[in-house]
Amino acid sequence: MIKKTLTFYVIYYILISIFAFVMIYPLLWLIGSSFKTHQEIFSDMTLLIPKKFTIENYIEGWKGFGGITFATFFKNSFILSTGVTIGIVISSTMIAYGLSRIAFLGRNFWFMTIMLTLLLPGQVLIVPRYILFYKLGWVNSFKPLIVPAFFGGPFFIFLIMQFIRGIPYEYDEAASIDGASKYQIFWYIILPSLKPALITSIIFAFYWTWDDFMGPLLYLNKPELYPVALALKAFADPTTITNWGAVFAMSVLSLVPIFIIFIFFQKYMETGIATTSVSKL
């Protein structure tokens, strides 16, 4: 029995290791190729470890294009991701609290309306939103990408609502008896208990905004306003000779902020997802 169990675990971990390697192979190839010379990238495409390491790709890639360095593109991405994250987390938290704890006329209707928007394909909203922001004169600015975030996000509202519903309502009643208002209950009781859910929302909001390509493509036409995702596409121009080593190098750098966030906040994200998954619906 012991031998069978040991054999089972050996086979299990070997299979898991092979599967994990297959899953991360594209990432390993991207990192390895960012240190290869231009000739080696295409001559030895299957090799993960370069024969000759070079950081020239990072130097050339950081210079950017059109006189605009990637420092500008990274700054734009941080502005967009930070603005959207702050807006969507604050607004979604307040909306989730109102729908979860405050009784008002039409609460169920508004909740169902918000949830139904999750079923709406994003492509349906592209034309009307563009017309709206064009008439407002917001095209070629960050406003169309940041301002809507301050009106909440259906996914984040639902996520935080599920967490709030797991907080005993007796806390609210006890605070009300002591004379606390709805705002005080939210600030001193609910908000401190939402740490895992808020960090989970921050991670998802920051990552989705950082990785967003369609939004900046629609509203930003000036290269100096491009975020990293759009700059990488413009950097790999099919009409000219593309420096793929530099493209790979900048792609690797674009992953660094996401890796840092996941490494430092992974335990909070797991707690938030696990808690909301078992909360009462």
Side-chain angles (χ1 to χ4, degrees):
M1 184 66 181
I2 296 177
K3 290 184 178 180
K4 289 184 178 180
T5 304
L6 181 61
T7 303
F8 170 78
Y9 280 110
V10 169
I11 296 174
Y12 173 78
Y13 283 113
I14 290 175
L15 293 176
I16 289 296
S17 299
I18 294 173
F19 181 73
F21 177 77
V22 172
M23 292 295 293
I24 66 172
Y25 178 83
L27 177 61
L28 296 176
W29 184 89
L30 175 66
I31 296 173
S33 297
S34 69
F35 292 101
K36 294 179 180 179
T37 62
H38 182 77
Q39 294 76 16
E40 188 178 352
I41 289 176
F42 296 99
S43 62
D44 297 312
M45 296 184 63
T46 57
L47 294 180
L48 293 179
I49 301 176
K51 296 178 180 178
K52 180 182 179 182
F53 279 86
T54 177
I55 61 171
E56 189 66 25
N57 294 327
Y58 288 87
I59 297 174
E60 291 297 321
W62 191 256
K63 293 178 181 178
F65 55 88
I68 306 172
T69 67
F70 259 84
T72 300
F73 303 136
F74 274 95
K75 180 192 70 175
N76 294 337
S77 287
F78 275 111
I79 292 173
L80 285 173
S81 299
T82 303
V84 170
T85 301
I86 292 174
I88 208 165
V89 171
I90 292 176
S91 59
S92 298
T93 303
M94 297 177 67
I95 295 170
Y97 171 68
L99 292 174
S100 301
R101 287 296 208 253
I102 301 176
F104 58 90
L105 183 64
R107 181 175 66 170
N108 292 333
F109 168 77
W110 289 113
F111 173 71
M112 290 302 300
T113 302
I114 292 172
M115 291 300 101
L116 285 174
T117 59
L118 286 172
L119 305 177
L120 202 63
Q123 293 81 357
V124 175
L125 302 175
I126 289 178
V127 174
R129 289 184 67 175
Y130 184 86
I131 294 174
L132 172 64
F133 295 137
Y134 178 80
K135 290 184 178 295
L136 290 173
W138 287 5
V139 176
N140 270 328
S141 72
F142 292 154
K143 292 178 183 178
L145 301 171
I146 296 178
V147 173
F150 284 83
F151 293 89
F155 170 80
F156 299 100
I157 292 172
F158 179 76
L159 177 70
I160 298 172
M161 279 186 66
Q162 293 303 104
F163 199 94
I164 293 177
R165 287 177 177 177
I167 302 174
Y169 192 75
E170 287 76 11
Y171 294 167
D172 299 40
E173 295 176 342
S176 298
I177 293 174
D178 291 336
S181 65
K182 296 293 184 182
Y183 299 101
Q184 291 174 322
I185 293 173
F186 171 72
W187 185 260
Y188 293 106
I189 296 177
I190 301 298
L191 198 58
S193 303
L194 292 179
K195 186 176 180 181
L198 293 179
I199 292 179
T200 302
S201 300
I202 289 172
I203 292 173
F204 281 124
F206 187 91
Y207 168 70
W208 288 343
T209 307
W210 184 274
D211 200 43
D212 184 27
F213 175 79
M214 184 58 68
L217 180 65
L218 288 174
Y219 302 115
L220 303 177
N221 300 323
K222 298 179 180 179
E224 59 268 22
L225 296 177
Y226 285 179
V228 172
L230 196 55
L232 286 173
K233 175 61 176 66
F235 201 16
D237 189 352
T239 61
T240 61
I241 298 176
T242 301
N243 186 346
W244 287 108
V247 173
F248 295 154
M250 294 303 99
S251 298
V252 171
L253 290 182
S254 70
L255 298 175
V256 172
I258 304 301
F259 279 134
I260 292 176
I261 289 177
F262 271 102
I263 289 172
F264 282 98
F265 298 110
Q266 181 182 9
K267 62 178 182 179
Y268 296 105
M269 185 178 68
E270 292 174 351
T271 303
I273 294 176
T275 305
T276 51
S277 65
V278 298
S279 297
K280 294 180 180 179
L281 295 174

